């Protein structure tokens, strides 16, 4: 159970870190913006880069499972389905 939790955290944190680094590199292009616009653009860029990176990594992983390493771990978390008693409470 804890192992699956750790795997899910790694597979979330790695794309965030990659997205932040790529957004930081993009900010070094020499374009000068005011502080407010720069902060908004940086936040938006990080979000878009993370989403695109994750989607691309997952798509590649479905074709070539070893590319799960792009998410930090090849292993995928396995979630248990919990059964609750209906009518209680």
């Amino acid at each position: 159970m804890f192992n699956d939790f750790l795997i899910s955290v790694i597979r979330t944190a790695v794309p965030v870190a990659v997205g932040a680094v790529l957004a930081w590199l993009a900010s070094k292009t020499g374009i000068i913006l005011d502080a407010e616009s720069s902060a908004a653009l940086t936040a938006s860029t990080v979000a878009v880069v993370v989403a695109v990176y994750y989607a691309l990594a997952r798509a590649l992983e479905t074709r070539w499972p070893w590319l799960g390493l792009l998410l930090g771990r090849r292993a995928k978390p396995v979630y248990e389905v919990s059964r609750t008693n209906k009518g209680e409470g």
Side-chain angles (χ1 to χ4, degrees):
M1 177 79 174
F2 181 74
N3 189 41
D4 289 332
F5 174 77
L6 188 57
I7 290 170
S8 70
V9 169
I10 290 169
R11 289 172 60 94
T12 300
V14 169
V16 170
V18 170
V21 168
L22 292 177
W24 176 78
L25 288 173
S27 73
K28 300 299 177 188
T29 60
I31 298 172
I32 299 173
L33 299 172
D34 62 272
E36 187 176 314
S37 297
S38 179
L41 182 61
T42 300
S44 300
T45 302
V46 169
V48 168
V49 171
V50 168
V52 169
Y53 179 85
Y54 184 78
L56 180 62
R58 287 289 290 130
L60 292 172
E61 181 185 36
T62 59
R63 172 99 177 165
W64 300 286
W66 65 272
L67 285 176
L69 289 172
L70 293 173
L71 297 174
R73 292 286 308 244
R74 283 184 57 191
K76 296 177 187 172
V78 177
Y79 301 103
E80 294 179 21
V81 177
S82 64
R83 297 176 187 241
T84 58
N85 292 332
K86 293 185 179 182
E88 286 186 17

